Amino acid sequence: MVDTSDLLPKTPRYLKVPLIILNTILWLLGIVLVACGGYALSKLSHLDDIINVSLPAGIIVIGVFFLVLTVVGCVVAYKEKLVGLVFYTVFMLILLVCLIGVGGGAFSYRNDAAKPIGTAWDKATNDERNIAQEFFDCCCWTDANSTCGSNCQVVNETGSVVPNLNKTTCNITVVDYVQKNLYVAGAAGVTVGVIEFISMLFALFLIVRICKNPRPKSYD
């Protein structure tokens, strides 16, 4: 029979130090998530009828949870608080599931972004299209239709109102913008998820080690 008694370090210090370092990295990434989500939300808040802004809002929420949870993780790891480590691991697992959902949703929506955005564009009001066309510096959705705001409609020689297609059409500009940002969001979710998973493993190992060898009262 294989002896597995020495698979874990004999002292929790070899587990809690990497856990604290990983939590510090996750805390910094949490700041990045909040900053990126806040920037995207502020930029797209006036376009929420055309572009779904739930993803940037979700990223902000996850980033805030990371900021709080990683601080708690550092404290309970340093003090070797068993109950705190258990709750930390459970909440990290919940966040990991949320990250998988955000990352998977970003990649899946990215592959078919043109259809829902085009549908939203058709349903948008004239003012909403004007705002989007000014923001993205584009005109109309495609060459094949006239779903334009009033700022992209001109009167031709015959006196008819026609789309002004001197600029790039908005289907190209808007969809490309959304797809690039969704790729960044998905990649960030995967990266943070990997680091978070490793942190959970260290937390679990630390829990096992503390249960096997409780620290003496004179430890502090």
Side-chain angles (χ1 to χ4, degrees):
M1 184 178 293
V2 178
D3 182 12
T4 59
S5 61
D6 292 329
L7 288 179
L8 291 174
K10 294 185 181 298
T11 170
R13 288 187 180 90
Y14 293 111
L15 292 171
K16 73 179 185 180
V17 171
L19 180 56
I20 291 172
I21 293 174
L22 288 170
N23 272 283
T24 303
I25 295 173
L26 286 173
W27 186 83
L28 294 174
L29 290 175
I31 293 179
V32 174
L33 288 176
V34 172
C36 292
Y39 176 78
L41 195 61
S42 65
K43 284 289 186 180
L44 302 177
S45 59
H46 57 290
L47 301 174
D48 57 344
D49 291 314
I50 297 175
I51 299 177
N52 192 337
V53 296
S54 60
L55 182 61
I59 290 175
I60 292 175
V61 172
I62 291 176
V64 171
F65 272 107
F66 265 121
L67 292 178
V68 175
L69 191 57
T70 49
V71 171
V72 174
C74 287
V75 173
V76 297
Y78 178 76
K79 294 181 176 290
E80 297 176 24
K81 298 293 185 181
L82 182 60
V83 176
L85 283 167
V86 172
F87 278 105
Y88 164 82
T89 305
V90 171
F91 280 111
M92 286 294 273
L93 179 60
I94 295 173
L95 275 180
L96 181 60
V97 173
C98 293
L99 273 175
I100 292 173
V102 170
F107 282 124
S108 62
Y109 186 83
R110 177 179 180 271
N111 295 329
D112 193 31
K115 185 176 180 180
I117 298 175
T119 301
W121 182 278
D122 290 336
K123 294 180 180 179
T125 65
N126 186 64
D127 289 339
E128 289 165 352
R129 290 180 189 140
N130 282 339
I131 293 172
Q133 288 168 158
E134 183 177 352
F135 180 82
F136 291 105
D137 192 25
C138 59
C139 269
C140 309
W141 188 244
T142 66
D143 294 338
N145 62 43
S146 58
T147 51
C148 307
S150 57
N151 61 346
C152 277
Q153 293 176 336
V154 294
V155 179
N156 62 11
E157 297 125 356
T158 63
S160 301
V161 177
V162 296
N164 178 12
L165 297 177
N166 292 327
K167 294 183 179 181
T168 304
T169 53
C170 290
N171 67 319
I172 297 174
T173 306
V174 176
V175 172
D176 182 65
Y177 177 87
V178 171
Q179 286 181 333
K180 286 181 178 178
N181 283 274
L182 286 177
Y183 180 81
V184 172
V190 171
T191 302
V192 174
V194 170
I195 299 174
E196 184 184 356
F197 180 73
I198 297 173
S199 298
M200 286 175 54
L201 290 180
F202 275 102
L204 288 171
F205 289 150
L206 183 56
I207 290 171
V208 173
R209 176 51 65 195
I210 293 174
C211 289
K212 285 186 175 182
N213 295 293
R215 70 182 189 181
K217 291 183 179 180
S218 60
Y219 179 83
D220 295 329

